[in-house]
Amino acid sequence: MRDPGRQRYSAAAIALHWAIATAILLLLISGLWMTDAIEVPDTRADAFAVYQWHKSLGLTVLVLSFARLAWRLINPPPGLPAEMGRLERLAAHTTHVVFYVLMIGMPLLGWAMVSASVFGLPTIVFGLFEWPHMPMFAELENKAPVETALKRAHSIGGYLMIALLVLHVLAALKHHFVDRDHVLTRMLPFLPARRVPNEETQ
């Protein structure tokens, strides 16, 4: 049950937020690099290693995103500032929904893409254990067109994630420097909790 006076996110929510955010940033950087590097003989070996690391990190984001969603359902987040307008409030909710769709959908697309790969390469999670392929894609007779479609969807999702991250950062900075509310600081670690009785619930 949400506490209308609570302004800070819980420690668990903050930890999950920054862990996932860091992983997504690394995934985007590595994804942009490795797709070009794999085509260059001099960087191909490194690109293969980065692909394996990229897959491991993507699966980690998938697990952490489900954990964060479950935590959010059990521990509702603090409400948005009462002075936020209806359109801004709607934009905030929509952005969060799209973020969850991408945080869960992108790793699933990547998993499906690897499963449908004509090369059938295994996914060894951080070099520790093998992650199974999705049978519905791994057992396809004609994998090539499916793999191509999944690659395209995964690429589009990656660029959409970049655009959403930029929008998210700009919105957070606006709240902090223009609106001068506590939307940004409530998600920053190592800050004391504060209570704002006039804050509305989301």
Side-chain angles (χ1 to χ4, degrees):
M1 183 176 183
R2 178 185 281 119
D3 176 359
R6 181 170 63 88
Q7 186 181 23
R8 294 270 298 158
Y9 279 88
S10 65
I14 292 174
L16 286 169
H17 172 89
W18 290 107
I20 293 172
T22 302
I24 288 175
L25 185 60
L26 292 173
L27 283 167
L28 292 172
I29 293 171
S30 61
L32 290 171
W33 178 83
M34 69 189 192
T35 51
D36 290 329
I38 198 72
E39 304 296 333
V40 181
D42 290 343
T43 56
R44 187 165 295 152
D46 290 335
F48 272 115
V50 172
Y51 262 98
Q52 197 66 256
W53 179 83
H54 182 91
K55 291 188 291 182
S56 299
L57 200 57
L59 291 169
T60 302
V61 168
L62 179 63
V63 173
L64 291 180
S65 295
F66 277 120
R68 184 180 176 188
L69 182 58
W71 182 263
R72 184 184 179 94
L73 293 174
I74 298 171
N75 301 271
L80 294 171
E83 61 271 16
M84 283 183 65
R86 181 177 297 178
L87 288 179
E88 193 174 9
R89 191 176 295 272
L90 176 62
H93 286 305
T94 302
T95 300
H96 276 92
V97 170
V98 177
F99 258 127
Y100 275 103
V101 170
L102 289 175
M103 288 189 305
I104 294 173
M106 283 291 286
L108 289 176
L109 277 174
W111 185 7
M113 181 178 68
V114 170
S115 301
S117 173
V118 295
F119 298 107
L121 297 175
T123 295
I124 310 299
V125 181
F126 296 116
L128 299 175
F129 59 91
E130 182 174 347
W131 188 275
H133 291 315
M134 292 181 177
M136 61 185 296
F137 294 105
E139 297 171 3
L140 289 173
E141 293 185 4
N142 187 16
K143 292 182 177 182
V146 177
E147 181 185 9
T148 299
L150 290 170
K151 280 184 177 179
R152 185 177 296 112
H154 194 67
S155 177
I156 292 172
Y159 285 109
L160 180 58
M161 177 65 85
I162 291 173
L164 198 62
L165 280 174
V166 171
L167 179 64
H168 186 61
V169 170
L170 290 176
L173 293 176
K174 172 186 175 294
H175 278 287
H176 190 70
F177 292 107
V178 178
D179 301 333
R180 296 187 179 278
D181 57 31
H182 302 289
V183 169
L184 173 61
T185 55
R186 68 185 186 166
M187 185 52 89
L188 295 177
F190 312 120
L191 289 178
R194 298 180 62 185
R195 298 180 64 84
V196 181
N198 294 326
E199 188 178 69
E200 292 182 358
T201 59
Q202 288 187 21

